Amino acid sequence: MSKIIEANPWQQLRQFTQARIALGRTGASLPTQALLEFGMAHAQARDAVHTEFNRDALLEQLHAADWPTLDVHSAATDRYHYLRRPDLGRSLNADSRTQLQTLALAENPELIFIIADGLSSVAPLRHAAPLLQALRPSLKDWRVGPVVVAEQARVALGDEVGELLGAQLVVMLIGERPGLSSPDSLGIYLTYAPRVGRTDADRNCISNVRLEGLSYAAAAHKLLYLMHGATRMQLSGVALKDDSDSDMALLQPTTLTLE
């Protein structure tokens, strides 16, 4: 009697990836288990997009680690408008703009970190604070401003925040668009000389920061390499290449141990 579920010879390759390969088949269909897992992954991706950002929990993490913070909000009043009007997520609301315009920092920061919900509100809550801790030992020679926590934000919001605070570099940690195997992936966007009107060609992206993807130490490695390159060349984006895997001249890997 033949088996009902036909085995896939690629089965052994599943240990190397979370991608949906070698699922097997039952006749012309997927096995029930694979179908149920697909439905669960789809539900997790939808939840990641629609779930409200738990800002208070993130602020608690940051304050426990002694990071000074600022709260801002985009021009999108709620998640409904944020998802349907991407343009509103790219600019600050009036109150936040006034707050940053009147903020009296002792001196302009070289570096500003922004943590934003983006399209996966669970990603920054899970990964932003641990990533900052991985970076912290290597930031001693940088003049770092307060960590800005931004709600209903798109990547370009960092341009306005960085310009208002007079930052040389802005690093945005933001929830990425969920995939069916990665509902909590964090993206990192680096922009040199941020100002309103910058485009995606003016920034560098490090993607898939999460426990099953790019580790905090590896992401910190790449980010520090790009930060040093950006300040040295006074640019970011397509003209700044990530050769961090082959060129260690700008980075001491021993500084990237977690506290």
Side-chain angles (χ1 to χ4, degrees):
M1 183 176 178
S2 61
K3 294 181 179 179
I4 295 177
I5 297 179
E6 299 180 28
N8 193 314
W10 284 20
Q11 183 69 31
Q12 61 181 342
L13 299 179
R14 295 191 69 184
Q15 63 183 302
F16 302 113
T17 178
Q18 287 193 308
R20 284 178 166 74
I21 63 171
L23 298 179
R25 61 189 174 91
T26 303
S29 303
L30 286 173
T32 300
Q33 182 64 32
L35 187 61
L36 291 174
E37 290 173 352
F38 181 87
M40 174 62 78
H42 186 256
Q44 289 174 331
R46 286 178 58 87
D47 285 349
V49 171
H50 291 284
T51 299
E52 291 291 338
F53 188 29
N54 193 338
R55 180 194 62 183
D56 292 340
L58 176 60
L59 289 171
E60 185 176 339
Q61 293 178 31
L62 295 172
H63 295 160
D66 294 324
W67 291 98
T69 62
L70 289 172
D71 265 341
V72 300
H73 202 293
S74 78
T77 54
D78 52 35
R79 201 71 180 165
Y80 177 89
H81 289 91
Y82 171 79
L83 293 173
R84 288 159 180 76
R85 289 284 306 275
D87 57 310
L88 296 179
R90 299 185 185 117
S91 59
L92 294 166
N93 66 16
D95 290 343
S96 294
R97 187 176 298 111
T98 300
Q99 175 193 0
L100 296 188
Q101 286 172 336
T102 58
L103 184 66
L105 296 177
E107 53 185 334
N108 288 350
E110 292 177 303
L111 174 64
I112 287 288
F113 289 104
I114 303 172
I115 302 176
D117 43 7
L119 288 171
S120 173
S121 60
V122 297
L125 186 61
R126 292 178 183 174
H127 307 306
L131 177 58
L132 288 179
Q133 289 302 99
L135 286 161
R136 192 168 219 162
S138 301
L139 299 177
K140 295 175 182 177
D141 295 330
W142 292 79
R143 197 166 61 252
V144 183
V147 176
V148 178
V149 176
E151 289 189 86
Q152 314 294 9
R154 304 276 176 170
V155 172
L157 187 83
D159 298 333
E160 185 175 12
V161 172
E163 184 175 17
L164 290 173
L165 295 180
Q168 184 180 39
L169 279 174
V170 158
V171 173
M172 177 168 274
L173 314 179
I174 189 169
E176 295 185 308
R177 186 184 305 275
L180 287 177
S181 60
S182 55
D184 65 338
S185 181
L186 187 76
I188 306 173
Y189 290 84
L190 169 74
T191 308
Y192 180 83
R195 63 175 182 271
V196 174
R198 288 290 195 192
T199 69
D200 288 341
D202 298 315
R203 29 186 152 261
N204 296 83
C205 176
I206 301 169
S207 186
N208 198 33
V209 181
R210 59 193 182 101
L211 299 182
E212 301 83 4
L214 190 66
S215 70
Y216 303 139
H221 174 161
K222 289 180 174 291
L223 178 57
L224 285 166
Y225 180 93
L226 291 170
M227 285 164 50
H228 285 287
T231 54
R232 186 181 75 252
M233 299 173 65
Q234 299 186 0
L235 53 79
S236 59
V238 295
L240 178 61
K241 304 305 179 185
D242 178 10
D243 297 319
S244 58
D245 292 336
S246 58
D247 184 355
M248 301 296 291
L250 298 177
L251 179 68
Q252 295 295 326
T254 55
T255 64
L256 292 177
T257 54
L258 287 169
E259 290 185 339

